[in-house]
Amino acid sequence: TGTSAENIIIFTYTINSYTVSFNSNGGTVVTAITQNYNTQVAQPSDPARAGYTFSGWYYDTGLTNLVEWPYTLGAANVTFYAKWTANTYTVSFDVQGGLSTPDSISVTYDSTYGTLPQPEKTGYTFGGWYTGTNGAGALVTSATTVQIIAPQTLYAKWIVNSYTVSFDSAG
């Protein structure tokens, strides 16, 4: 400012940091990552969710734009959303001496069991499908929501029929 001496001006800049947050959509928590602008963000460990398979991180809540890793951090905070695919499991039927088809079906986690076979057994009435033998455990119907995370066997419950025998003494 009006001197004959040489002036040196030093500018110091601080790079901005931004945060990548993760919405696990019902899965385990994934810790947010804060890094400097224009750096490469590594993919975090996959979250877990019972009955589902993790299908990737997406930019949008509609889960249509897949994030590619490593992700280059832009000049704004961002949230990524987890996509999940429901697992399917095999349910086998133990008819406990009866006759039935099919022997097994495939079910999808968090949906209903759907149509279940109606077995037959001479002298008995079918009393439903149960998670344990002879009517033990929980009753499973076509409207029951699938909450299993492994193959399952359902067991037929049988109720013995009663009959009335009448005699005609014919006089």
Side-chain angles (χ1 to χ4, degrees):
T1 61
T3 66
S4 60
E6 200 174 296
N7 291 324
I8 299 174
I9 300 172
I10 300 173
F11 292 95
T12 304
Y13 295 94
T14 303
I15 193 163
N16 291 336
S17 293
Y18 297 98
T19 301
V20 178
S21 300
F22 301 93
N23 180 330
S24 294
N25 285 327
T28 54
V29 173
V30 175
T31 304
I33 299 170
T34 300
Q35 283 185 201
N36 291 338
Y37 164 75
N38 204 34
T39 57
Q40 298 288 305
V41 178
Q43 183 173 356
S45 297
D46 293 346
R49 184 176 175 192
Y52 290 84
T53 299
F54 178 68
S55 299
W57 291 108
Y58 286 76
Y59 290 102
D60 57 310
T61 57
L63 307 173
T64 57
N65 298 306
L66 181 65
V67 175
E68 295 197 23
W69 299 96
Y71 170 75
T72 302
L73 191 57
N77 295 329
V78 64
T79 299
F80 296 146
Y81 302 88
K83 182 176 183 177
W84 299 98
T85 302
N87 295 335
T88 58
Y89 301 98
T90 299
V91 174
S92 301
F93 299 101
D94 186 332
V95 292
Q96 305 284 293
L99 299 172
S100 178
T101 55
D103 295 334
S104 65
I105 60 171
S106 290
V107 295
T108 302
Y109 191 83
D110 265 351
S111 64
T112 62
Y113 278 80
T115 303
L116 297 172
Q118 295 294 309
E120 296 178 358
K121 185 175 180 181
T122 303
Y124 294 83
T125 300
F126 177 61
W129 292 108
Y130 286 81
T131 57
T133 59
N134 301 319
L139 171 65
V140 174
T141 69
S142 59
T144 301
T145 301
V146 177
Q147 295 292 301
I148 58 173
I149 56 171
Q152 178 183 47
T153 300
L154 295 179
Y155 301 89
K157 176 182 177 182
W158 296 108
I159 301 165
V160 177
N161 292 341
S162 295
Y163 300 97
T164 301
V165 177
S166 299
F167 296 97
D168 181 359
S169 62

